[in-house]
Amino acid sequence: MARRTLRVALDQGAGRSGDTASSLTRLAERARAAAEAGADLLIGPEMSMTGYALGADVTRLAEPADGPLFEAVARLAADTGVAIVYGFPERADGRVYNAVRLVDGHGADRALYRKNHLFGDLDRDMYAPGDTAVVQTDLGGVRLGFLVCYDVEFPEAVRAHALAGTELLVVPTALMQPNVLVPTLLVPARAMENQLHLAYVNRCDVEGDLDYMGLSTLVGPDGAELLRAGPDEALLVGDVDPAAAADLLAEHSYLDDRRPDLYGSLAL
């Protein structure tokens, strides 16, 4: 069977911090807009349903992966036919994780990923680190993988996905000023050096003293920007074509040309 493109919508924006109800209302509007644009998948920022810098409030807002928030998002996904990636604080095993979940267009759970690399005290004071390097699922014939924000700044994390066959790496983010080189330089380089599509979806609001910069992007496997937002709220829609990566890999493959025998110290 011929493979088709996957139309993705990047939702650069968020509801009011600490207000899950407002986030759900906003998500419903964005999901309907994504459906009207023919999108198969809607991706929101890091902790899109609750806010990111929650402090002690994270305990009140955290819930199990199959809690009321999942049920609400699943109904919304089924109603619109659009798969949704959303971020939330997950309570599990007496800990709280910075998690993202994918619900498909039928409302079924497809993937759950917990942020592995925690960013300074801001993250460590609220969350426990995940311990699974690669979480993947197939959606519309495309192999999706997941990281969160700071994770993508570690080349090993993205390379692990490339080696596992990820075709679209989904990276919900809450990156603040003045780190502009991450979305504009590092993220395109990660896509290019691993020859995969990368959707980097950042917040663009202000939360306390954190000023989120936006600049969300969808990058192709050659490092070219297919979509790029500015600093303001936006819904960007574009296509992920697995054939583009296949054509590129047929010309040359960084994975095939690696020298793992020389890289032993990278695991230390």
Side-chain angles (χ1 to χ4, degrees):
M1 178 182 294
R3 301 180 69 174
R4 66 180 184 89
T5 60
L6 184 75
R7 178 155 289 185
V8 300
L10 313 186
D11 179 15
Q12 179 169 285
R16 291 190 299 274
S17 183
D19 186 348
T20 302
S22 80
S23 297
L24 283 168
T25 298
R26 184 186 175 282
L27 181 62
E29 296 170 353
R30 292 303 183 273
R32 287 191 290 269
E36 290 173 2
D40 304 294
L41 172 65
L42 174 64
I43 306 168
E46 180 179 11
M47 301 293 289
S48 59
M49 303 311 299
T50 59
Y52 167 63
L54 300 173
D57 221 20
V58 71
T59 302
R60 174 180 66 86
L61 293 168
E63 62 178 66
D66 60 353
L69 188 57
F70 164 71
E71 294 176 355
V73 176
R75 286 193 298 270
L76 176 58
D79 287 345
T80 60
V82 176
I84 298 173
V85 173
Y86 66 99
F88 71 107
E90 180 205 4
R91 182 184 296 113
D93 304 321
R95 312 176 88 185
V96 177
Y97 298 92
N98 182 330
V100 296
R101 190 161 206 175
L102 169 65
V103 177
D104 70 19
H106 301 288
D109 168 37
R110 295 296 298 275
L112 175 71
Y113 171 78
R114 297 165 174 169
K115 186 177 184 179
N116 287 326
H117 300 87
L118 300 183
F119 182 75
D121 291 340
L122 187 61
D123 261 350
R124 296 188 186 100
D125 288 347
M126 293 186 288
Y127 308 113
D131 59 6
T132 303
V134 176
V135 172
Q136 294 174 311
T137 191
D138 290 335
L139 186 73
V142 177
R143 176 60 58 91
L144 271 58
F146 304 87
L147 294 176
V148 174
C149 196
Y150 193 41
D151 286 328
V152 80
E153 298 180 39
F154 293 82
E156 300 89 347
V158 184
R159 180 51 55 90
H161 272 277
L163 290 170
T166 293
E167 295 172 304
L168 170 61
L169 185 58
V170 175
V171 188
T173 300
L175 184 73
M176 65 290 293
Q177 295 284 4
N179 303 299
V180 68
L181 290 181
V182 174
T184 60
L185 177 65
L186 185 147
V187 166
R190 289 285 177 270
M192 180 178 178
E193 69 194 4
N194 291 287
Q195 297 174 299
L196 47 70
H197 287 82
L198 198 160
Y200 185 86
V201 186
N202 193 24
R203 296 176 67 107
C204 64
D205 57 344
V206 175
E207 190 180 31
D209 60 356
L210 300 181
D211 183 8
Y212 301 111
M213 69 178 67
L215 301 180
S216 299
T217 186
L218 175 65
V219 184
D222 58 355
E225 294 179 2
L226 305 177
L227 298 171
R228 170 67 77 181
D232 301 319
E233 187 164 332
L235 183 70
L236 305 181
V237 180
D239 293 327
V240 170
D241 181 6
D247 291 344
L248 191 62
L249 290 168
E251 295 178 9
H252 79 283
S253 168
Y254 288 126
L255 298 186
D256 289 346
D257 292 341
R258 292 179 313 127
R259 288 288 308 278
D261 55 304
L262 303 180
Y263 308 150
S265 62
L266 294 180
L268 298 178

